[in-house]
């Protein structure tokens, strides 16, 4: 690493004045810096070419719901701009997050599991709130299905680590991933990109924008077509299996239109309409490192069952897919009135899901099912940023700015019914899973398993010989959120500032759950695994929280900054969409 003498001198002075703090140390460091100035370097030395530190590129971020220079925001932030996304061929969220420290987006089949600073959540349960939030063009979304949305025509991705509850609300205890798409420009501009690869990979991205007519309005139109064939082969018998032959296939389509109007209601109005379609076929799980008895049992169901790790071969016999449709409309308005910067946002989105999963991921008829829901959400936010005020509201040195905001949201989950099916091979797989490595397979599976489940061997024998048993779970949820938030930035000295933030939020949730056996009785397998019939329409939660933050910042010109930041965030409570029993402690969580 190379430093200029000017940069070294400045760093020594800063260390002496700020970190060490004593006058003697500061004088000593400053003197050493002056001695450093007197050193003559050969003309060929690369340090001579740069006598002053190079200015860092100015990057504008929206971490505090207002534009600010990255170096002046007291948060742990990473930014991937358009050039970075293009150079690294970033086409999805997992690929983008590989470039961000302390952030990972793991793939579990066609499910995405976001982790920020190690904090993650069960993606499979739609009732659970994520610890890492997602915002798209300033609007927050709580369902993690939005993480799988296609990334196209983006201006940048901003990642904020640490609790962001003051500005973005609940469910941001680990951080926020903010996707910002391109807006209409003042000049006509277009771009196209085509990428081809293995397994039938074809990706076409188009973007076009510019002024309309006299220039009071502008547009930006973007489209995406992304397709990849399955690269995990399903070894199950094609005539017997209901699953696709190729797993991990993916199709994504996206269309986005933005209109920007100037001089609308004395400000700017940005309108957006977007549609995204995602079709994924087969989660592509590979079974490996299983006991010999387990392998022999699965080979009886399909002789081609595969247990080798990393050879891109799986074996499933039930439907396995995920279909997601996202339709979004939003409006953003900003203006300056009486020296205040005013902003208003309105967003509506409809998430439509349908999925099927071979849960045992084998050729056995053990556990499989399907699920679907529609999730509409409507959010509104108003913000006002004051002009620079003398001191702290007229007291003290420097200047300050105050941000005030109001937030309202309504989001629902309208379930289409989730079906879980339990087949006659379930007892066999359960028994083999309980065996020790050296234990031989039991001769009578029902006799071996019945004490473990507390049922008679005759009941289990009936389940092993009968038709698949099915339980259907209906889950509906309504959530209303309202919040008041405020932040204050006080620049009390040229290099020192303090940020204070506070958000009060109140959320009300209600849920209705119903589970019933849709297969004919006696259903011994459903009974064995405690899958009860029940109906609950009285589930309600009412939560209120305060999310505070405080930050002390020091910035030495443009190339050195330090901050101390403390914040507190909350994850919202809710209801368990996968509860098989009518138990209060299993139905809801805080």
């Amino acid at each position: 690493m190379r430093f200029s003498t000017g940069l070294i001198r400045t760093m020594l002075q800063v260390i002496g004045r700020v970190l060490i703090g004593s006058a003697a140390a500061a004088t000593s460091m400053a003197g050493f810096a002056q001695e450093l100035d007197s050193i003559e370097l050969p003309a060929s030395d690369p340090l001579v070419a740069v006598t002053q530190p190079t200015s860092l590129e100015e990057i504008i971020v929206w971490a505090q719901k207002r534009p600010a220079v990255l170096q002046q925001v007291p948060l742990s932030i990473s930014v991937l701009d358009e050039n970075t996304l293009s150079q690294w061929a970033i086409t999805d969220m997992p690929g983008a997050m590989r470039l961000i420290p302390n952030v990972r987006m793991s793939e579990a089949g066609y499910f995405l599991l976001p982790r920020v600073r190690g904090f993650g959540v069960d993606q499979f349960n739609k009732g659970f709130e994520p610890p890492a939030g997602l915002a798209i063009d300033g609007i927050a979304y709580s369902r993690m299905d939005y993480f799988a949305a296609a990334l196209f025509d983006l201006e940048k991705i901003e990642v904020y680590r640490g609790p962001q509850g003051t500005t973005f609300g609940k469910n941001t205890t680990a951080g926020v991933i903010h996707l910002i798409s391109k807006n209409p420009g003042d000049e006509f501009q277009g771009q196209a990109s085509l990428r081809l690869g293995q397994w039938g990979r074809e990706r076409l991205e188009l973007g076009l924008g510019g002024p309309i007519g006299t220039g009071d309005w502008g547009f930006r139109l973007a489209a995406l077509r992304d397709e990849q064939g399955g690269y995990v082969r399903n070894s199950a018998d094609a005539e017997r299996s209901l699953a696709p032959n190729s797993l991990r296939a993916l199709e994504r389509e996206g269309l986005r239109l933005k209109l920007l109007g100037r001089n609308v209601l004395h400000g700017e109005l940005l309108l957006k309409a977007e549609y995204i379609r995602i079709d994924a076929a087969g989660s592509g799980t590979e079974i490996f490192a299983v006991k010999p008895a387990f392998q022999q049992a699965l080979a009886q169901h399909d002789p081609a069952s595969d247990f080798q790790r990393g050879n891109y071969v799986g074996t499933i016999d039930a439907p396995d897919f995920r279909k997601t449709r996202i339709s979004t409309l939003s409006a953003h308005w900003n203006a300056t009135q009486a020296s205040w910067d005013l902003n208003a946002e309105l967003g509506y989105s409809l998430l439509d899901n349908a999925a099927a999963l071979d849960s045992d991921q084998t050729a056995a008829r053990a556990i499989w099912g399907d699920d679907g829901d529609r999730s509409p959400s409507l959010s509104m936010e108003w913000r006002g940023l004051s002009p620079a005020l003398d001191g702290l509201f007229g007291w003290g040195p420097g200047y300050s700015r105050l941000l005030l905001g109001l937030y309202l949201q309504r989001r629902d989950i309208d379930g289409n019914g989730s079906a879980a099916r339990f087949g006659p091979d379930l007892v066999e797989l359960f028994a083999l899973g309980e065996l020790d490595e050296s234990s031989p397979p039991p001769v009578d599976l029902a006799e071996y398993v019945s004490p473990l489940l507390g049922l008679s061997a005759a009941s289990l024998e009936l389940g092993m010989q009968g038709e698949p048993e099915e339980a259907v779970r209906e889950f509906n949820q309504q959530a209303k959120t309202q919040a008041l938030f405020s932040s204050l930035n006080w620049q009390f000295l040229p290099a020192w500032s303090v940020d204070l933030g506070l958000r009060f939020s109140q959320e009300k949730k209600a849920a209705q759950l119903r589970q019933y056996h849709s297969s004919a009785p006696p259903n011994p397998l459903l009974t064995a695994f405690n899958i009860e019939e029940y109906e609950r329409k009285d589930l309600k939660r009412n939560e209120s929280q305060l999310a505070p933050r405080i930050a002390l910042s020091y910035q030495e010109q443009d190339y050195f900054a330090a901050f101390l930041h403390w914040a507190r965030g909350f994850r919202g409570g809710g209801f368990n969409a996968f509860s098989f029993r009518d138990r209060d402690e299993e139905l809801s969580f805080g």
Side-chain angles (χ1 to χ4, degrees), residues 472-510:
V472 177
R473 187 188 313 104
E474 298 174 352
F475 177 81
N476 298 286
Q477 179 179 275
Q478 304 82 40
K480 295 180 180 180
T481 303
Q482 52 189 3
L484 291 171
F485 61 95
S486 175
S487 64
L488 174 68
N489 174 261
W490 181 24
Q491 189 81 32
F492 59 91
L493 289 175
W496 289 90
S497 66
V498 63
D499 286 86
L500 302 173
L502 187 66
R503 186 186 190 100
F504 172 76
S505 64
Q506 184 181 52
E507 184 172 69
K508 295 181 179 180
K509 280 185 177 179

Side-chain angles (χ1 to χ4, degrees), residues 172-252:
T172 59
T173 49
V176 169
I177 300 173
H178 192 182
L179 309 181
I180 301 176
S181 60
K182 293 181 180 179
N183 286 335
D186 296 329
E187 299 179 354
F188 280 103
Q189 187 267 341
Q191 65 184 50
S193 108
L194 175 63
R195 292 173 182 163
L196 304 175
Q198 289 181 307
W199 312 108
R201 178 66 189 274
E202 298 179 0
R203 188 178 194 277
L204 176 62
E205 180 179 343
L206 302 173
L208 177 66
I212 301 175
T214 60
D216 287 342
W217 283 86
F219 79 98
R220 180 78 187 180
L221 181 64
L224 173 74
R225 169 69 182 178
D226 193 357
E227 182 176 355
Q228 176 179 282
Y231 57 88
V232 176
R233 181 175 64 85
N234 184 13
S235 64
D237 185 352
E239 295 183 0
R240 175 179 177 272
S241 174
L242 299 176
N245 295 328
S246 298
L247 311 177
R248 297 303 296 272
L250 180 66
E251 287 187 11
R252 296 185 294 180

Side-chain angles (χ1 to χ4, degrees), residues 81-243:
D81 61 10
E82 176 188 1
N83 293 332
T84 303
L85 296 174
S86 176
Q87 291 173 2
W88 287 86
I90 300 300
T91 60
D92 54 21
M93 192 72 79
M97 294 305 104
R98 292 189 186 101
L99 304 180
I100 303 295
N102 289 329
V103 180
R104 289 295 178 267
M105 191 74 66
S106 302
E107 294 181 86
Y110 39 68
F111 293 93
L112 296 180
L113 304 175
R115 292 189 178 275
V116 180
R117 290 180 170 174
F119 292 95
V121 73
D122 178 8
Q123 153 75 327
F124 304 102
N125 196 323
K126 68 186 73 175
F128 288 179
E129 306 283 6
L134 176 69
I136 302 176
D137 290 327
I139 297 179
Y141 297 94
S142 61
R143 289 289 298 272
M144 284 188 293
D145 304 81
Y146 285 88
F147 281 107
L151 274 64
F152 64 102
D153 204 45
L154 289 183
E155 177 185 333
K156 57 184 172 179
I157 300 177
E158 300 178 0
V159 180
Y160 322 131
R161 290 177 290 271
Q164 307 296 320
T166 302
T167 49
F168 286 93
K170 285 184 180 181
N171 309 320
T172 59
T173 49
V176 169
I177 300 173
H178 192 182
L179 309 181
I180 301 176
S181 60
K182 293 181 180 179
N183 286 335
D186 296 329
E187 299 179 354
F188 280 103
Q189 187 267 341
Q191 65 184 50
S193 108
L194 175 63
R195 292 173 182 163
L196 304 175
Q198 289 181 307
W199 312 108
R201 178 66 189 274
E202 298 179 0
R203 188 178 194 277
L204 176 62
E205 180 179 343
L206 302 173
L208 177 66
I212 301 175
T214 60
D216 287 342
W217 283 86
F219 79 98
R220 180 78 187 180
L221 181 64
L224 173 74
R225 169 69 182 178
D226 193 357
E227 182 176 355
Q228 176 179 282
Y231 57 88
V232 176
R233 181 175 64 85
N234 184 13
S235 64
D237 185 352
E239 295 183 0
R240 175 179 177 272
S241 174
L242 299 176

